[in-house]
Amino acid sequence: MPDKSLANLVEYGRHRLSTLSDTDSAKLDAQILLCFVLNKASSYLLTWPDKKINEAQYQNFLNLLERRVQGEPIAYITGTKEFWSLSLFVSSATLIPRPDTETLVEQILSDHCESHLSCLDLGTGTGAIALALASEMPNWQIDAVDFNADAVLLAQKNAENNNLTQVNIYQSDWFRQILLEKTFDVIVSNPPYIDNIDEHLSQGDVRFEPKSALVAEQQGLADIIHIATEARKYFAEQGFLLLEHGYEQSAQVQKILSELGYSEIKTVKDLSGNDRITKARYLLKNR
Ligand SMILES: C[S@@+](CC[C@H](N)C(=O)[O-])C[C@H]1O[C@@H](n2cnc3c(N)ncnc32)[C@H](O)[C@@H]1O
């Protein structure tokens, strides 16, 4: 066992986690867990490398480290995740927001600079997309839904914690609870899109996330098809649909949107250069 100085504990943690990930990530994870135990910012570890922690903090650190060694995602251990400029609570009710999803937020903001606009986020989870948009566009009228009651509570808690309570967050199985007389300029979703037999489901962080947030029928496309089909009833004169999807699904998603009468269909790459988001316009005359 290491002595209880901060520098030694980080090194011990890095070593314990080195079978799980590369050296840099292992060290970063150890630092995050130690800061979480101490309730300090990361600069504290650099400023006081020789400082020793007490026995309770030490045991807590070892416990959390062990959970991470077993593969549990850091965000589930600490209960929070940064997304956009927001700190979000996370839970096993829904997906941990990914940096790639920030590309979806960026796309909407670069395409739509109108100060007033109505937007719907389907399958909001932690509220990540809806709350990021609300933080940038405080006058947008944003609805955000999820069918999982715990995810809805989590998103509402995140809205309160980030002072973004103007977002209307409620439970709905996709469009089921959304009044037909409501219309939206932009409909966005990062729906479940993984095929049930995809090998990635048994690897890494994903193993700990709920299947209901990840998996869809029809080789992962069932929810995308449903959303793209139903969304057409909720646009006013025109509307824009933006969907996150798997990196190998862009051709299929483009085809689905084209067959449903969408135009200006374009796929955008994520931070790793993979096809990740497809966006399209729907004109009322196509209905
Ligand atoms: C991939 S996660 C995305 C979560 C969040 N939007 C994000 O980007 O981090 C998909 C979300 O869709 C929700 N979901 C799955 N099926 C749904 C349905 N039938 N109606 C509404 N939401 C659903 C899940 O509960 C989950 O929160």
Side-chain angles (χ1 to χ4, degrees):
M1 285 290 155
D3 89 18
K4 294 173 190 158
S5 72
L6 298 182
N8 273 330
L9 290 169
V10 170
E11 179 48 27
Y12 175 74
R14 186 200 64 71
H15 177 71
R16 285 285 288 128
L17 296 173
S18 57
T19 50
L20 199 70
S21 51
D22 61 69
T23 307
D24 286 349
S25 310
K27 184 173 178 187
L28 184 63
D29 285 358
Q31 289 170 325
I32 292 171
L33 292 179
L34 194 50
C35 288
F36 177 68
V37 164
L38 299 172
N39 196 19
K40 299 282 186 202
S42 56
S43 56
Y44 187 83
L45 303 181
L46 295 173
T47 314
W48 308 106
D50 298 325
K51 198 171 176 69
K52 297 214 165 53
I53 64 175
N54 66 36
E55 182 60 24
Q57 291 169 327
Y58 178 67
Q59 289 305 330
N60 195 5
F61 176 66
L62 293 186
N63 285 340
L64 300 186
L65 198 58
E66 196 46 40
R67 284 169 62 184
R68 183 66 191 132
V69 169
Q70 297 306 319
E72 190 171 341
I74 281 281
Y76 281 159
I77 297 175
T78 62
T80 58
K81 175 79 182 172
E82 299 296 312
F83 182 85
W84 203 249
S85 57
L86 310 172
S87 175
L88 300 177
F89 295 114
V90 298
S91 82
S92 55
T94 186
L95 192 89
I96 299 164
R98 307 285 201 269
D100 285 337
T101 303
E102 293 183 340
T103 310
L104 195 50
V105 175
E106 264 166 24
Q107 273 305 309
I108 298 172
L109 293 173
S110 74
D111 290 350
H112 301 280
C113 51
E114 304 94 312
S115 59
H116 287 83
L117 186 148
S118 59
C119 177
L120 170 65
D121 174 21
L122 292 162
T124 197
T126 55
I129 298 169
L131 297 177
L133 291 173
S135 72
E136 299 293 333
M137 294 297 196
N139 293 325
W140 283 12
Q141 194 192 308
I142 303 177
D143 281 23
V145 301
D146 204 289
F147 76 157
N148 181 314
D150 290 335
V152 171
L153 288 175
L154 184 68
Q156 288 169 340
K157 186 170 146 191
N158 281 325
E160 260 172 46
N161 196 44
N162 287 286
N163 294 318
L164 295 167
T165 47
Q166 74 269 30
V167 179
N168 189 19
I169 303 168
Y170 49 100
Q171 191 173 11
S172 177
D173 177 358
W174 298 136
F175 292 92
R176 191 161 291 176
Q177 299 303 321
I178 302 172
L179 301 174
L180 252 180
E181 49 272 27
K182 269 200 157 190
T183 57
F184 300 96
D185 302 303
V186 174
I187 297 180
V188 57
S189 184
N190 173 16
Y193 55 71
I194 302 179
D195 188 352
N196 202 14
I197 56 167
D198 192 313
E199 59 188 18
H200 293 102
L201 290 170
S202 56
Q203 298 168 7
D205 287 5
V206 171
R207 287 171 298 160
F208 291 80
E209 294 175 303
K211 292 266 189 302
S212 56
L214 296 165
V215 171
E217 301 287 319
Q218 296 177 253
Q219 289 89 47
L221 292 167
D223 288 321
I224 286 177
I225 294 169
H226 178 79
I227 290 168
T229 305
E230 294 301 302
R232 298 176 301 171
K233 299 177 191 158
Y234 290 87
F235 292 128
E237 288 299 298
Q238 64 162 357
F240 296 87
L241 178 67
L242 291 97
L243 295 168
E244 182 167 329
H245 53 71
Y247 68 100
E248 293 174 322
Q249 291 173 329
S250 58
Q252 290 155 299
V253 174
Q254 289 202 8
K255 185 165 177 280
I256 291 163
L257 293 173
S258 172
E259 286 173 358
L260 288 170
Y262 288 83
S263 59
E264 298 173 32
I265 302 165
K266 188 167 179 278
T267 295
V268 179
K269 293 190 186 300
D270 64 20
L271 303 167
S272 318
N274 294 315
D275 284 355
R276 185 62 62 192
I277 288 149
T278 295
K279 56 182 188 173
R281 182 180 186 197
Y282 192 77
L283 282 171
L284 188 61
K285 65 179 172 56
N286 294 342
R287 200 177 276 174

